[in-house]
Amino acid sequence: MRTLRTIAEMQLAAESERGAGRRLAVVPTMGALHRGHVSLIERARTAADVVVTTIFVNPAQFGPNEDLTRYPRPFDSDVAVAGAAGSDIVFAPSPEEIYPEGFQTFVVNERAASGFEGAERPGHFRGVATIVAKLFLATKPHLAVFGQKDAQQVAVVKALIRDLNMDIELDVAPIVREPDGLALSSRNAYLSADERARSVVLYKALTDAQRRAAAGERSATAIRRAMYGILKEGRPDRIDYAAVVDPGSFVELEDVPLTGALAILAVRFGSTRLLDNMYLEQRKSEA
Ligand code: PAF
């Protein structure tokens, strides 16, 4: 496995693989790789000849009071994990390589990025869309694998690929969870033992929403209220939001459709923000 540091090296390697007729997949990450990332890399491995894992903690997607400086950066173990999971190349540029002096061009999504994470974290998706576009241009993939865990990011990347006519297939991998249901995230490491124990309410709230929808509840307001009720049992420091949305536009829904509604939530324990989501389906009536 190779570690490449510059865009020029990465583009050359990608060109040479493409020239040899090989299919490239990219798995963009910010490092601190866990089993969730491993599942993305393994998925890419089954679908491509060459797997590129990118490791870059992107300053442009962090707000001024967010965790950019304390974000975990276990680089050597990340490289080992990426290799063991099936990566052929790790692309790990420096911030200066990505955002050199004079950098002035950003990619802005105007719809899917506007609510929820976009409203809570102004500028976040501008940073995400910009780095994802740059990573795509550097790695030249046929396929990109993202995790469903960051559902709004998936909506933004889908729109990016579609709106900018990128010739890239998007694969969205299911959320990987701990045995008690907590979705894997690099930020789980920040939770104290007590916060970790209380964080099970996220999964409880989402599975309750799923049960209610399957039992025929059509009111998104009723489902949202029930999610808030369960989340409060975990005494979080703040519930940023709990809602039922259309997964493509991230517009909040009033009525739960038969299929394709997404329950989403963001909750804070101490200074740690946890996100999760789950698809809701109305049980089809037996006619
Ligand atoms: O999901 C992440 O880890 C990041 O948002 C991404 C896609 C690697 C862009 O920095």
Side-chain angles (χ1 to χ4, degrees), residues 27-31 37 54 56-58 61 71 124 127-128 131-132 135 146 150 153 157:
V27 182
T29 82
M30 296 205 301
H37 296 111
T54 71
F56 179 66
V57 182
N58 175 33
Q61 70 188 75
Y71 199 85
H124 171 68
V128 169
I131 189 62
V132 169
L135 292 173
F146 283 79
D150 293 306
Q153 171 168 281
V157 171

Side-chain angles (χ1 to χ4, degrees), residues 23 141-145 161 166-171:
R23 182 171 157 83
H142 298 89
L143 172 76
V145 184
I161 290 174
M166 294 175 169
D167 187 13
I168 298 172
E169 189 188 323
L170 178 64
D171 179 42

Side-chain angles (χ1 to χ4, degrees), residues 1-274:
M1 200 196 46
R2 285 182 292 166
T3 299
L4 304 179
R5 294 282 187 180
T6 70
I7 294 168
E9 280 173 327
M10 184 62 243
Q11 286 176 328
L12 206 65
E15 275 308 331
S16 120
E17 299 293 357
R18 290 182 80 106
R22 287 193 274 272
R23 182 171 157 83
L24 263 91
V26 67
V27 182
T29 82
M30 296 205 301
L33 302 182
H34 50 64
R35 281 186 289 119
H37 296 111
V38 166
S39 78
L40 306 184
I41 298 168
E42 287 174 348
R43 215 171 149 97
R45 181 72 277 162
T46 63
D49 303 307
V50 181
V51 176
V52 182
T53 298
T54 71
I55 299 178
F56 179 66
V57 182
N58 175 33
Q61 70 188 75
F62 287 77
N65 299 317
E66 293 183 358
D67 55 350
L68 173 63
T69 48
R70 73 165 179 154
Y71 199 85
R73 291 167 170 84
F75 186 70
D76 292 343
S77 78
D78 279 347
V79 171
V81 170
S87 301
D88 300 293
I89 297 175
V90 164
F91 177 50
S94 66
E96 297 73 33
E97 177 73 7
I98 294 291
Y99 301 114
E101 192 63 35
F103 184 88
Q104 54 189 280
T105 306
F106 289 86
V107 181
V108 177
N109 173 300
E110 297 200 337
R111 197 169 60 144
S114 60
F116 303 103
E117 285 309 284
E120 293 288 331
R121 305 179 66 189
H124 171 68
F125 285 121
R126 173 184 186 258
V128 169
T130 302
I131 189 62
V132 169
K134 284 184 66 92
L135 292 173
F136 285 170
L137 289 165
T139 60
K140 303 177 185 264
H142 298 89
L143 172 76
V145 184
F146 283 79
Q148 173 62 21
K149 161 79 177 29
D150 293 306
Q152 195 169 3
Q153 171 168 281
V154 166
V156 168
V157 171
K158 228 176 234 175
L160 171 78
I161 290 174
R162 185 196 60 218
D163 294 347
L164 299 189
N165 310 110
M166 294 175 169
D167 187 13
I168 298 172
E169 189 188 323
L170 178 64
D171 179 42
V172 182
I175 298 175
V176 180
R177 298 180 179 281
E178 298 285 5
D180 66 1
L182 181 68
L184 295 196
S185 162
S186 306
R187 291 188 168 101
N188 293 353
Y190 301 151
L191 295 169
S192 69
D194 177 52
E195 289 165 347
R196 172 65 188 83
R198 289 186 281 129
S199 66
V200 295
V201 289
L202 278 83
Y203 185 67
K204 266 178 81 180
L206 290 170
T207 46
D208 179 76
Q210 203 172 49
R211 258 194 309 274
R212 282 173 195 270
E217 179 58 78
R218 299 292 313 266
S219 161
T221 308
I223 290 180
R224 194 183 62 232
R225 281 205 191 110
M227 287 201 287
Y228 269 92
I230 293 173
L231 290 174
K232 281 180 186 156
E233 289 169 15
R235 292 175 288 105
D237 290 273
R238 202 171 126 184
I239 301 172
D240 284 347
Y241 55 77
V244 179
V245 300
D246 173 273
S249 63
F250 260 73
V251 168
E252 189 156 6
L253 297 173
E254 293 199 351
D255 299 316
V256 182
L258 280 183
T259 57
L262 191 69
I264 58 169
L265 41 82
V267 177
R268 288 177 205 239
F269 287 93
S271 57
T272 309
R273 275 185 94 236
L274 299 177

